[in-house]
């Protein structure tokens, strides 16, 4: 169902009879079955095309808002489940702060770690290997040192030196070892 009301504006004071339709408000029945008023600009053909799209594929503003809220809720639930997984897997410390700070910081920390994992960064992979205590089994740097003549003790010492001194490793450690929810929130960007 289309219902149209024309909003006219007067252009120019010299000739007040000069009128031009600048925009149109339509009541459109969206694909979800709800009606809402929309304000459309442009040529009649463009407005008709937009209305046809609303009626065929568009959702009303209320349904769109509900859909986005559901998407956010689902994303939050997935991130909370991921936070639980990594807190256990990486033995992350419990965060300190208010209940709201801790909940928000857990999601932030999980999002940051998920982004690092997605990048497949060599330093991050080495960091996680060290964090898990599997240097001999999984560390590429350890294997490289052994292949080039280092003893197991020397290779492990070299890997741990990088872990202790490389600035990116320090940054990873800070995110993995902090207990301050406020620090995570403040450094989320």
């Amino acid at each position: 169902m289309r219902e149209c009301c024309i909003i006219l504006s007067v252009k120019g004071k010299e000739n007040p009879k000069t009128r031009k339709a600048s925009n149109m408000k339509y009541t459109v029945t969206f694909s979800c079955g709800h009606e809402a008023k929309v304000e459309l600009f442009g040529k009649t053909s463009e407005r008709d095309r937009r209305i046809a799209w609303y009626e065929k594929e568009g959702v009303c503003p209320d349904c769109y808002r509900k859909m986005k809220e559901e998407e956010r809720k689902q994303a939050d639930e997935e991130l909370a489940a991921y936070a639980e997984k990594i807190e256990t897997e990486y033995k992350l410390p419990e965060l300190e702060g208010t209940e709201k700070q801790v909940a928000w910081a857990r999601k932030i920390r999980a999002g940051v770690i998920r982004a690092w994992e997605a990048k497949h960064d060599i330093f991050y992979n080495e960091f996680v290997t060290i964090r898990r205590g599997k240097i001999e089994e999984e560390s590429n740097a350890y294997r490289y040192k052994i292949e080039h003549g280092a003893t197991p003790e020397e290779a492990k010492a070299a890997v741990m030196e990088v872990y202790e001194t490389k600035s990116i490793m320090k940054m990873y450690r800070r995110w993995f070892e902090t207990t301050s929810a406020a620090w995570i929130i403040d450094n989320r960007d």
Side-chain angles (χ1 to χ4, degrees):
M1 177 178 126
R2 291 187 198 179
E3 183 183 296
C4 171
C5 57
I6 300 175
I7 300 172
L8 298 172
S9 63
V10 177
K11 283 229 166 173
K13 291 188 179 184
E14 312 84 46
N15 189 356
K17 293 181 183 177
T18 306
R19 293 174 162 247
K20 183 178 179 185
S22 60
N23 57 16
M24 304 285 267
K25 286 192 178 187
Y26 294 88
T27 300
V28 178
T29 302
F30 288 85
S31 66
C32 60
H34 298 115
E35 288 185 355
K37 279 199 186 270
V38 293
E39 189 171 4
L40 300 174
F41 301 89
K43 297 179 189 177
T44 303
S45 61
E46 281 297 310
R47 291 192 301 248
D48 289 342
R49 184 192 62 76
R50 176 67 83 171
I51 289 169
W53 182 84
Y54 282 146
E55 292 172 341
K56 185 178 178 188
E57 298 179 33
V59 290
C60 72
D62 291 336
C63 288
Y64 181 78
R65 194 170 14 266
K66 288 176 188 172
M67 181 178 70
K68 287 299 180 184
E69 286 173 10
E70 282 297 315
E71 287 174 5
R72 273 191 294 277
K73 184 179 176 185
Q74 184 179 357
D76 280 351
E77 288 170 359
E78 289 173 6
L79 201 54
Y82 182 73
E84 289 285 331
K85 176 186 165 257
I86 63 170
E87 287 169 353
T88 303
E89 183 178 340
Y90 297 140
K91 298 177 181 89
L92 299 176
E94 278 195 42
L95 297 174
E96 299 168 354
T98 67
E99 190 175 322
K100 284 184 177 182
Q101 282 178 322
V102 168
W104 189 20
R106 286 181 70 226
K107 289 177 189 173
I108 293 168
R109 180 170 65 182
V112 166
I113 291 172
R114 179 183 276 171
W116 287 338
E117 287 178 348
K119 286 171 71 175
H120 301 292
D121 180 72
I122 190 164
F123 286 114
Y124 178 76
N125 293 338
E126 286 295 317
F127 174 80
V128 169
T129 299
I130 295 165
R131 182 95 182 152
R132 288 182 181 150
K134 298 188 176 186
I135 295 173
E136 292 87 357
E137 298 93 342
E138 297 177 9
S139 173
N140 290 327
Y142 179 85
R143 278 194 294 269
Y144 177 84
K145 290 287 187 183
I146 294 292
E147 288 170 5
H148 288 84
T151 67
E153 294 78 25
E154 292 170 338
K156 190 171 186 177
V159 169
M160 291 307 293
E161 181 181 341
V162 170
Y163 178 77
E164 295 294 331
T165 60
K166 190 83 174 154
S167 62
I168 194 160
M169 293 289 200
K170 289 179 182 178
M171 189 252 319
Y172 291 145
R173 271 202 327 274
R174 178 73 171 145
W175 275 88
F176 273 73
E177 295 172 2
T178 190
T179 58
S180 171
W183 184 89
I184 290 174
I185 292 167
D186 290 344
N187 290 279
R188 67 187 178 274
D189 295 328

